Structures are given as C-alpha cells and as structure tokens.
Amino acid sequence: MSMDAWILGAPLKVLRQEDHPYRETTLATLGRHELGLSRRRSAAGLPACEIFLDGRSIYLPGAAAPDRAWFDLCRELGYEPARHWDWDPALILFQQVLPALAADWHEPPLALDAQGLPEGVLSLASLRQTFAEAVADLRRNSLGPVGAKVAETFEWLPLRAVVFHDDAQLPLDFEGAGACGRVSLWLGIHRDRAVALDGPAPYGRGLRRWVAGGSGDLPPTEAFLRAAGLDPEPPKGFEAAFDAALHRLCHQLEGPLDAYRRTYPVGIPWQRDHHERLLGRTIVDLRLGDPPVLILDDGTEVALENKPLPSWEHGGI
C-alpha cells in the first residue's frame, strides 16, 4: 500500500499471516489497536471475510457498513470528511486496510464489486456516482445556453465529501435509526476552493430544503461559478435555473443519502474547529518555503508566520 495515500494518523503493520486448510487469517496493528482478518463465505457462497478490531468482530459478509468501533477509530486517528476528500470510514477499511491484510492470501480472491468493496457495502463512492449520474441527466435535459451553463457548473464541481453535523442530544428519527441532523455536501476540484450544499434536518418525513453556500462575501451562484473555474458573471436567468437544477440534483440524491446516513453511527463529531484539530498533535515534518509549513502527524499543515517582530518585542534598552 502506498503510504502517500494513507490518511490515518498511525501506520498499519502486518504482524502474521496463517493459511489453514479452510481459512486464512491475518493479524496486524494500527497504532495501539489490533486488527484481524479471517476468510468467510457470504450467504451466496462467494469468498468473503470477517474483520476484527481489538478482538471484536466489526464486519461480517452482507453488512452495509463496519461496526461503530471502526468509525470511532477513524475519528481518533484524525479522519475528517471535509479534509480527507474522496474517503470515508468504509473506503478506508475496504480500499486501504483490507488489500494490505489480504495481500498474500491464496486463491480464490475475495468477491469485490467494481468499487473494490464487498457486496452490499454503502460508501461515499456510490454517492459520488449517484451525484455524477444526476448531473449527467441535468446535462441531457438542459434547455438553452443558460441551462447548459448550469449543467457545466455542476460538471466541474463533483461531489467530494459528505459531512453529518451530528449532535448526540438530537432525538432519534421516526424509525429510531439515527439523528436527522444537518448534512453538508462538499463539491469542488480543489479543496481550497470548495463550495457546499447544506441540507438542514427535514421535518417529519419531508425532504430537505437544500441551500447553496457562498464563499466569503460572494453570493452562492458567483461562488459556485468561481469554484468551477467559469466566468463568475452569471447570465440573465442563471440564478433561477441554478436553484431549479439544485432541487433536481438533491432530490435524486435523497434516497441514497438517507440509506448512507443510516450506516453512520449517531453522535460522532466529524467536523472540528482549528484549535481542536491542532490540540495534542505532533510535528512530523517541515516544508521550507514562504511561509514555512509544519506537517502534523494527522496530515494537517500549519503555515508559520515569518514576519519580523517589532524591535521593542526583543527586549533590551
């Protein structure tokens, strides 16, 4: 596994692999935690696996997501949806950890889908595909130059991250399966120019009323055009067409997003402020430049202020 793509704040170390007549197993450590992988059969009789964390089973064939303990571990080791684009706890486990643990397993290989996931697992990858398909429908149904401009805007703003703004005190939803809190969809090509779609908690069984967020002092439509790298001056009628397209895109995403939300445990604070992100972290590298940048053990980059201090702050007469 390439460590350049590794985003958790601790290394994965494979300790031992065993090949029993009917079951292969692997043991590894991830920071101060122990991981185990054991071959199983799915309900359809296909090659599958069971994953253990600190001696407890966190994934069995057919489950839609790993157990809460894996989500807690990802949060403990620095994973944040808005910062680690294109990843979520399921993708980290099945696209990074699982290949490393099963690297030397014998035939037959595990049965994985086109996204490299066990059958039935819900992940950010499937949501991104759903969003891309909705944008493609938007392009096919776009009318006139204004509609084409709206479609082009979203074509240049793929879905990159989903953030659930959970609060442990929120009541459970009507099925008792999770909190109906606010959700943010982060779109963009570059993380430093990202824009977001915010969906507050729906009332009862109603749909969310999605709102496009601006960037700084920019109105939403101009912020989206700039983030897409397009002319920021919207043509006449663009705002109305943009709002209508936003409604259609998010309406197609509601069902998959709700199913995906139910794979996430309630009450884990996924978005942290700057102070909390730096607290307790260790400096692991320094990148020289103007300004110099400190690299922390969870991948956070901190730019150093290198302006000279006024002479009176140096002390002396």
Side-chain angles (χ1 to χ4, degrees):
M1 177 183 62
S2 171
M3 291 306 294
D4 293 339
W6 185 247
I7 63 173
L8 296 182
L12 176 69
K13 298 179 180 179
V14 176
L15 302 178
R16 157 172 107 249
Q17 293 182 314
E18 299 177 1
D19 184 7
H20 297 290
Y22 302 104
R23 185 196 305 179
E24 292 175 289
T25 60
T26 303
L27 290 178
T29 59
L30 179 55
R32 59 187 180 85
H33 299 274
E34 183 180 78
L35 284 169
L37 179 69
S38 182
R39 186 181 288 276
R40 288 283 185 272
R41 289 276 175 183
S42 69
L46 298 175
C49 65
E50 182 175 5
I51 303 175
F52 299 86
L53 174 62
D54 295 330
R56 287 182 50 205
S57 177
I58 60 168
Y59 174 76
L60 280 169
D67 188 71
R68 182 194 175 103
W70 177 251
F71 288 81
D72 286 328
L73 176 59
C74 287
R75 182 63 180 79
E76 173 191 324
L77 297 182
Y79 165 73
E80 295 177 61
R83 293 179 57 241
H84 299 116
W85 283 26
D86 304 328
W87 294 100
D88 69 0
L91 291 176
I92 294 171
L93 181 61
F94 296 113
Q95 290 188 350
Q96 290 195 328
V97 174
L98 180 60
L101 296 182
D104 294 329
W105 275 18
H106 297 83
E107 298 292 338
L110 297 176
L112 304 175
D113 63 18
Q115 297 170 346
L117 303 173
E119 193 67 34
V121 170
L122 301 179
S123 73
L124 176 61
S126 58
L127 266 188
R128 295 186 67 199
Q129 182 177 347
T130 300
F131 187 81
E133 291 170 355
V135 171
D137 287 341
L138 189 66
R139 164 63 76 179
R140 284 190 291 269
N141 299 322
S142 62
L143 299 175
V146 174
K149 179 87 169 181
V150 172
E152 185 182 13
T153 301
F154 284 105
E155 286 170 346
W156 285 102
L157 295 175
L159 175 63
R160 304 301 294 268
V162 177
V163 181
F164 298 111
H165 303 269
D166 274 352
D167 185 329
Q169 303 304 313
L170 283 175
L172 296 180
D173 64 12
F174 56 88
E175 292 180 356
C180 288
R182 184 166 63 93
V183 181
S184 293
L185 308 178
W186 289 81
L187 317 177
I189 304 171
H190 306 290
R191 192 161 58 87
D192 57 351
R193 290 196 303 168
V195 287
L197 301 176
D198 286 317
Y203 178 76
R205 294 174 179 264
L207 301 178
R208 296 177 187 272
R209 175 69 171 86
W210 292 92
V211 178
S215 178
D217 297 329
L218 297 177
T221 52
E222 184 176 342
F224 272 65
L225 286 168
R226 287 184 180 275
L230 303 176
D231 182 359
E233 187 64 31
K236 185 177 180 180
F238 181 85
E239 291 190 13
F242 179 87
D243 289 340
L246 177 61
H247 173 76
R248 290 199 299 273
L249 288 175
C250 293
H251 177 72
Q252 289 181 249
L253 203 64
E254 282 283 358
L257 181 63
D258 182 61
Y260 180 61
R261 172 64 189 88
R262 293 174 189 279
T263 69
Y264 265 62
V266 176
I268 298 179
W270 292 106
Q271 213 168 20
R272 300 179 293 173
D273 59 26
H274 189 64
H275 169 77
E276 186 184 355
R277 187 179 300 138
L278 301 182
L279 202 62
R281 302 260 59 104
T282 302
I283 299 171
V284 296
D285 198 3
L286 170 66
R287 186 169 68 239
L288 298 179
D290 187 17
V293 175
L294 299 178
I295 312 298
L296 306 186
D297 57 356
D298 68 342
T300 299
E301 299 185 358
V302 181
L304 295 179
E305 181 63 64
N306 58 0
K307 293 181 180 179
L309 294 174
S311 58
W312 58 267
E313 292 192 20
H314 291 286
I317 297 175

